[in-house]
Amino acid sequence: MHNFILNLPKAELHVHIEGTFEPELKFRIAKRNGLSLPYKTVEECVDGYTFTDLTSFLKIYYEAMTVLLTEQDFYELTYAYLEKAHSQSVLYTEMFFDPQAHTSRGVAFDTVIKGIKRAQDEAMDKLGIYSQLIMCFLRDMDANSAMDTLLQAIPYKEWIVGVGLDSDEKGNPPIKFMEVFARARQEGFKLTMHCDVDQENTTEHISQCLHKIGVDRIDHGVNSLDKEILWQEVRDRQLVLTVCPISNAIVKDSTMTSAIKTMLDRQMRVTVNSDDPAYFRAYINENYEIVQKEAQFTIDDLYTLSKNSFEGSWLPRETKDYFLALLETYMATYGVTAVNSSSHKKQGRT
């Protein structure tokens, strides 16, 4: 199973580029920028990753970003993740980035996105890993700030496939940003929003995503299982849920792999992703592995998760088909095809 997962072609649809900021790179960039860190060694830095809930995680998460100042910083951050993802057989990734976390510190939007884009282009040329960007708004900032950020992004529309909503969900429901997301839709962006596990009013937030915002995807979204009317709508609309098992354990003290199994059984389009892998010390393959071990997933189940990741991506149909053909070729070496895959027969995609 380890080797199967290691080499399984896959897409990652839920990863925050700032959440891939490894301690070693953090020290190197801080030194270059003449900044000091509140810890002396990499080990001490990692030992400080003691999160008890979403709020305690975000405090450390945003503090680390303060060393990111130049285009080169954002280039190195992004290229390091793409190199790591490539080593785990990720063929395609849709990366979140949080411009407000940087512009609020005086770093220009232009600096952030140009550094990221240069890394994307170089990784495509050198490694063959394709990527697109999703710009997230920070939900604990006001809607005017989100709208200002959206307007700053419009000149770079060709570099950004969609917009999302992340950060502290408490007291910050999706409808707070309804006008911003309506404008983003008019500009041609795809829409997604975080609905983290077991947050206050979580099922109401999922309902707002479905009925008020009209999202194309829900990030996390595990609590859609709490109400039959919600999970049935998610299933019927074939909305992708970008679930992050190891990340769940930070908020819930459980990876909730059984929920992923339930989603597959209910023919929901669930995917497995890493979220903030540098902080949780686990990238996408480690998330696949823990799902497999805890829920006893078969090769066929893992195949379904991978296929969902490509089908649920915001790629043109012909590009999806290209990646899916690579997946099918890989699966054929294990004697598994779309024709004999029971999971895909159940989903009607034979």
Side-chain angles (χ1 to χ4, degrees):
M1 277 297 187
H2 174 79
N3 287 334
F4 172 79
I5 290 169
L6 176 64
N7 297 297
L8 176 69
K10 57 186 79 71
E12 178 152 43
L13 307 182
H14 186 151
V15 60
H16 299 265
I17 197 59
E18 293 92 348
T20 69
F21 202 6
E22 290 287 351
E24 295 84 356
L25 181 59
K26 199 180 302 181
F27 273 92
R28 189 161 69 246
I29 289 177
K31 182 178 180 180
R32 183 171 68 213
N33 291 337
L35 301 171
S36 61
L37 295 171
Y39 24 75
K40 296 180 180 179
T41 66
V42 168
E43 292 74 21
E44 188 179 328
C45 175
V46 174
D47 287 344
Y49 294 167
T50 53
F51 320 120
T52 56
D53 53 23
L54 181 60
T55 302
S56 63
F57 163 71
L58 290 172
K59 182 178 184 296
I60 294 173
Y61 180 70
Y62 288 123
E63 284 177 351
M65 290 186 204
T66 59
V67 306
L68 296 167
L69 299 177
T70 69
E71 182 180 317
Q72 182 67 18
D73 298 342
F74 289 97
Y75 159 80
E76 291 181 16
L77 171 67
T78 305
Y79 195 85
Y81 161 69
L82 291 171
E83 198 168 39
K84 177 67 175 181
H86 171 69
S87 75
Q88 295 199 340
S89 301
V90 174
L91 305 183
Y92 169 72
T93 177
E94 291 174 0
M95 304 177 294
F96 297 121
F97 75 116
D98 291 330
Q100 288 161 290
H102 310 297
T103 56
S104 62
R105 300 183 289 111
V107 180
F109 186 99
D110 181 80
T111 297
V112 178
I113 198 166
K114 283 187 174 179
I116 294 173
K117 183 63 165 61
R118 180 156 61 93
Q120 289 180 271
D121 291 343
E122 187 172 324
M124 182 64 182
D125 290 341
K126 291 184 177 180
L127 306 175
I129 181 170
Y130 184 36
S131 61
Q132 294 194 96
L133 280 179
I134 301 172
M135 181 179 73
C136 278
F137 305 114
L138 301 184
R139 67 198 311 157
D140 42 8
M141 297 180 74
D142 62 40
N144 289 334
S145 175
M147 185 65 82
D148 288 344
T149 302
L150 177 62
L151 296 177
Q152 290 181 67
I154 289 174
Y156 303 96
K157 281 169 63 172
E158 292 186 359
W159 295 358
I160 303 170
V161 69
V163 299
L165 186 68
D166 62 11
S167 200
D168 198 345
E169 193 167 339
K170 186 175 182 179
N172 298 298
I175 57 170
K176 174 180 173 181
F177 300 91
M178 191 157 61
E179 292 183 9
V180 180
F181 276 75
R183 174 65 185 273
R185 174 73 81 192
Q186 290 175 6
E187 295 292 342
F189 293 109
K190 293 285 191 179
L191 309 182
T192 187
M193 286 183 165
H194 278 52
C195 290
D196 281 287
V197 178
D198 286 358
Q199 297 299 292
E200 187 177 282
N201 300 317
T202 183
T203 54
E204 172 58 25
H205 289 181
I206 293 172
S207 180
Q208 289 178 14
C209 284
L210 294 173
H211 306 126
K212 301 293 185 181
I213 308 298
V215 296
D216 303 293
R217 179 186 297 168
I218 296 177
D219 299 310
H220 298 297
V222 174
N223 292 101
S224 61
L225 295 175
D226 293 353
K227 291 189 174 183
E228 186 173 4
I229 192 171
L230 290 179
W231 70 255
Q232 285 185 345
E233 183 169 357
V234 169
R235 178 199 61 193
D236 294 346
R237 289 171 57 180
Q238 284 291 279
L239 286 182
V240 169
L241 299 177
T242 63
V243 178
C244 307
I246 293 174
S247 170
N248 287 342
I250 302 301
V251 178
K252 177 70 175 175
D253 198 27
S254 166
T255 58
M256 303 187 73
T257 53
S258 61
I260 296 173
K261 180 65 172 175
T262 298
M263 289 174 181
L264 285 181
D265 290 343
R266 292 178 178 178
Q267 302 170 38
M268 299 168 73
R269 190 173 281 183
V270 60
T271 64
V272 165
N273 310 269
S274 68
D275 203 356
D276 299 288
Y279 293 90
F280 305 144
R281 316 310 292 161
Y283 285 79
I284 192 168
N285 281 2
E286 289 77 18
N287 278 272
Y288 266 76
E289 286 184 354
I290 201 165
V291 165
Q292 191 279 319
K293 289 175 183 176
E294 291 188 355
Q296 293 298 298
F297 273 22
T298 64
I299 282 178
D300 194 65
D301 293 324
L302 299 174
Y303 169 42
T304 301
L305 291 173
S306 177
K307 188 162 187 177
N308 284 349
S309 72
F310 290 114
E311 287 285 6
S313 69
W314 289 338
L315 285 167
R317 183 69 252 176
E318 61 271 20
T319 311
K320 290 183 184 183
D321 289 342
Y322 168 75
F323 287 128
L324 287 167
L326 296 178
L327 173 61
E328 297 298 341
T329 298
Y330 177 75
M331 293 307 302
T333 66
Y334 284 84
V336 178
T337 68
V339 172
N340 65 28
S341 168
S342 60
S343 298
H344 283 75
K345 285 181 180 179
K346 286 189 289 184
Q347 294 187 18
R349 294 195 299 277
T350 59

